Amino acid sequence: MHITRTLAALALVGGLCAADTIAVVVNAEQQPKIQTALDTYLADLKAEGYATKLKSWDMATADQQTPAQLKAWLKGAGIQGAVFIGRVPVANVNSSTDSYQKNFVSDIYYMDLGTTWADANADGRFEQPAVKDLEIWVSRISGWGFDTKKTGTDEAGLTNRYLDKAHRFRTGELRLPPKSA
């Protein structure tokens, strides 16, 4: 699973506490295939004291195709963080300061709600501005792009598998093995 390190993101934006609101943005095509696991995930968040805003994101709809449209929705949602499930718009970034990789996908675009990012040369990539503050955290859960022959299932199956494992961990059914020093 492609999962952004949520704990690192939380450290950057000041943490998360109960009563905070989390946006759960789900690919509309995948949602019916994962609805039962999604409902359990939302119930788990509620049981932990979080409020949630569920948004079904339909990239076939004209007003839900671009990163800018998703960022605008996030700005108005009144949230502290967001979990993207399935394929939702990705922000391609061009960094003139990164000597290793100049073009990459970055969710910092979504976390940085207070800065305008521009695509000055119209190449489909945002030029990365100096980021001063990150207003929200973002995490992704996506099974897109995995080889179904190797995984034995499709994108929805992988997402369901992950959400089930997260639920079992949250409820104490799944425990990590102890490590020796």
Side-chain angles (χ1 to χ4, degrees), residues 130-150:
V131 176
K132 295 179 181 153
D133 291 309
L134 300 177
E135 290 79 15
I136 67 170
W137 55 266
V138 171
S139 182
R140 285 184 184 264
I141 301 169
S142 178
W144 182 78
F146 284 87
D147 184 343
T148 58
K149 290 178 183 171
K150 289 182 181 176

Side-chain angles (χ1 to χ4, degrees), residues 15-98:
L16 186 67
C17 61
D20 283 343
T21 302
I22 300 170
V24 178
V25 181
V26 184
N27 175 283
E29 184 180 328
Q30 290 294 312
Q31 188 171 348
K33 300 172 187 173
I34 65 166
Q35 192 64 56
T36 300
L38 177 62
D39 290 343
T40 301
Y41 178 66
L42 294 171
D44 286 346
L45 292 175
K46 184 177 180 181
E48 291 174 11
Y50 303 110
T52 59
K53 289 189 178 183
L54 178 62
K55 176 69 173 170
S56 183
W57 200 263
D58 187 353
M59 292 180 30
T61 303
D63 67 344
Q64 296 185 4
Q65 294 178 346
T66 69
Q69 292 163 329
L70 178 53
K71 186 173 183 176
W73 184 84
L74 293 169
K75 270 180 139 173
I79 58 170
Q80 285 68 43
V83 177
F84 299 158
I85 300 179
R87 287 174 279 171
V88 297
V90 295
N92 291 300
V93 176
N94 181 11
S95 174
S96 59
T97 61
D98 189 336

Side-chain angles (χ1 to χ4, degrees), residues 102-118:
K102 297 210 180 282
N103 299 308
F104 52 91
V105 172
S106 176
D107 283 339
I108 291 175
Y109 170 79
Y110 295 114
M111 296 178 201
D112 184 18
L113 298 176
T115 304
T116 301
W117 291 47

